[in-house]
Amino acid sequence: MTRTVRILGTHGVPAAYGGFETAAEQIGLYLVEQGWRVVVYCQADGKGPITYDTWRGIERVTIPQHREGWLGTSAFDWTSIRHAIQHDDVCLTFGYNTGVFNILQRLKRIPNVINMDGMEWTRRRWGIPRQAILLANERFASLFGHHLIADHPDIERYLARWARRSRISMITYGAHAVTEAPTGPVEAMGLTPGGYLTVICRPIPENSLLEIVEAFSAKPRERTLVVLGNLDGATDDYHRQVLAAASDEVVFPGAIYDPEVVQALRFHSLAYVHGHTVGGTNPSLVEAMAAGNPVIAHDNVYNRWVAGPTQRYFTTAQELGAQLDELLASPDVLHQMHDAARGRHAEEFTWEHVAGQYEAVLARFHAGLMHRA
């Protein structure tokens, strides 16, 4: 009998939205190669009936949803879960935003493996009411999920407060190694390969963007800082502060979603500056390491475990400025950090390694289904 997994909780494949979509795509493609039947639930804008098709061997169930925001996501998740429980297949759910709905799989005795994300409820940007909703759904998902995936050891320890260790696996996020990239996309942006640093993040306070821009702009660097992300100085006060703090060596090309352009920017970057302060294993950090970028990251347990001891860390703009002063004058140190980043990625964060761990968990629950039958 063909092993089947149904992947829920993302916008679907091919990935065009974020980290969970990339994970669903890469894990799904890996499982197809291993002989699994993979069904991914996809969200589409608008109204209409559910449609079915296949993309690169992955079966897609596309559910139109005309509502926007949280309401639309909740409606999509509800419809996806109701559809999935009509089949006696293992479920793989990314995220716990609507964890209360996972009671349906529990009641139907359908195994549900849930990636619990990175303590999403702690992010200040949601505001207290939505934080409370997220926290409640985190607890529901911890209760109703048959197995929980933590993407970082610290997230695993956190989840162990609410669930038995035997119900938790630590599996990180992945990225494909980038070993070459054309210089054309970089030069088209007016940049010199090896002559700039990159920052890729949502421009919010918890990602330390203001501190990064202030530190870089404190003195002439004879380098460029490239900040990828949408900033709207007309309506957002934090964005205005970031833009005002920037020297003429900082450029803001906006958010870039073309993977070939982003890969080229990463590959030819002198270093990557990572200001994220919360969450588990951050996809942007892993992707920077996969491109061999030396990393200068905010100093916290999440980033230190991912990037390793050879990379550099900061807490304040002053500390980051001192790191930049030293590293921009030390090509040998940057080369050592480059080698260490590639080694750390190869050790823990390849998609083959990550997807193989997911398969082992899913296979165990599929075997349980067969035994029950």
Side-chain angles (χ1 to χ4, degrees), residues 181-192:
T183 58
V186 172
E187 293 166 342
M189 295 174 64
L191 302 170
T192 301

Side-chain angles (χ1 to χ4, degrees), residues 18-38:
F20 272 165
E21 284 69 33
T22 300
E25 176 181 310
Q26 295 299 323
I27 294 167
L29 291 172
Y30 176 91
L31 292 173
V32 167
E33 289 180 357
Q34 306 307 310
W36 286 72
R37 177 186 175 222
V38 178

Side-chain angles (χ1 to χ4, degrees), residues 22-359:
T22 300
E25 176 181 310
Q26 295 299 323
I27 294 167
L29 291 172
Y30 176 91
L31 292 173
V32 167
E33 289 180 357
Q34 306 307 310
W36 286 72
R37 177 186 175 222
V38 178
V39 182
V40 176
Y41 288 84
C42 307
Q43 182 175 347
D45 294 333
K47 298 180 179 181
I50 295 175
T51 59
Y52 304 85
D53 65 1
T54 301
W55 176 80
R56 295 183 61 181
I58 296 175
E59 297 178 32
R60 300 192 299 181
V61 179
T62 300
I63 300 172
Q65 178 49 243
H66 65 281
R67 301 175 183 87
E68 296 182 355
W70 186 286
L71 187 60
T73 298
S74 298
F76 168 70
D77 288 345
W78 174 252
T79 304
S80 300
I81 293 171
R82 289 179 61 198
H83 187 283
I85 63 173
Q86 298 175 36
H87 310 272
D88 203 19
D89 300 322
V90 177
C91 291
L92 171 59
T93 301
F94 284 96
Y96 62 77
N97 288 0
T98 51
V100 65
F101 298 159
N102 296 133
I103 193 174
L104 298 181
Q105 285 111 324
R106 176 62 74 169
L107 292 173
K108 293 276 289 187
R109 300 179 64 204
I110 293 174
N112 187 18
V113 177
I114 305 178
N115 182 310
M116 293 295 289
D117 205 358
M119 297 168 64
E120 188 71 13
W121 69 270
T122 64
R123 299 181 188 274
R124 297 190 305 272
R125 64 190 174 94
W126 296 130
I128 291 176
R130 190 167 176 183
Q131 283 180 300
I133 293 171
L134 284 168
L135 177 59
N137 277 286
E138 180 192 84
R139 297 294 187 270
F140 284 129
S142 299
L143 177 65
F144 300 142
H146 291 78
H147 200 78
L148 311 180
I149 303 295
D151 68 8
H152 187 284
D154 220 60
I155 301 298
E156 181 181 23
R157 287 187 285 271
Y158 169 76
L159 293 176
R161 302 176 187 178
W162 323 112
R164 297 188 310 274
R165 287 274 185 174
S166 61
R167 292 181 54 226
I168 307 170
S169 293
M170 201 287 290
I171 307 177
T172 66
Y173 186 86
H176 291 302
V178 181
T179 57
E180 60 180 3
T183 58
V186 172
E187 293 166 342
M189 295 174 64
L191 302 170
T192 301
Y196 62 91
L197 294 79
T198 50
V199 180
I200 303 177
C201 69
R202 184 180 289 108
I204 54 177
E206 67 189 30
N207 291 340
S208 311
L209 184 56
L210 179 58
E211 291 84 349
I212 293 171
V213 171
E214 287 177 338
F216 191 87
S217 302
K219 63 175 67 173
R221 300 288 180 185
E222 298 182 355
R223 305 288 195 284
T224 302
L225 180 67
V226 182
V227 179
L228 268 62
N230 285 324
L231 284 89
D232 182 1
T235 62
D236 189 295
D237 183 60
Y238 182 74
H239 294 183
R240 277 194 294 271
Q241 293 178 55
V242 171
L243 294 169
S247 72
D248 58 8
E249 293 181 311
V250 183
V251 298
F252 299 91
I256 298 176
Y257 297 105
D258 185 329
E260 292 185 0
V261 175
V262 175
Q263 280 193 356
L265 282 169
R266 288 195 188 280
F267 183 76
H268 295 290
S269 179
L270 182 65
Y272 175 67
V273 187
H274 185 74
H276 292 60
T277 60
V278 298
T281 295
N282 182 267
S284 185
L285 178 55
V286 172
E287 289 162 5
M289 294 162 57
N293 289 170
V295 171
I296 313 169
H298 184 272
D299 193 357
N300 57 66
V301 293
Y302 307 113
N303 297 336
R304 275 194 175 270
W305 182 83
V306 173
T310 307
Q311 307 306 321
R312 296 300 183 91
Y313 299 92
F314 69 91
T315 301
T316 65
Q318 291 73 25
E319 291 176 1
L320 175 56
Q323 295 281 16
L324 292 169
D325 290 345
E326 177 188 350
L327 292 174
L328 293 180
S330 307
D332 290 345
V333 175
L334 287 171
H335 185 73
Q336 293 170 6
M337 294 167 66
H338 160 89
D339 290 345
R342 285 212 177 277
R344 179 67 178 135
H345 168 259
E347 172 188 46
E348 186 68 53
F349 302 104
T350 67
W351 274 123
E352 292 78 9
H353 178 60
V354 170
Q357 292 175 290
Y358 270 94
E359 183 186 21

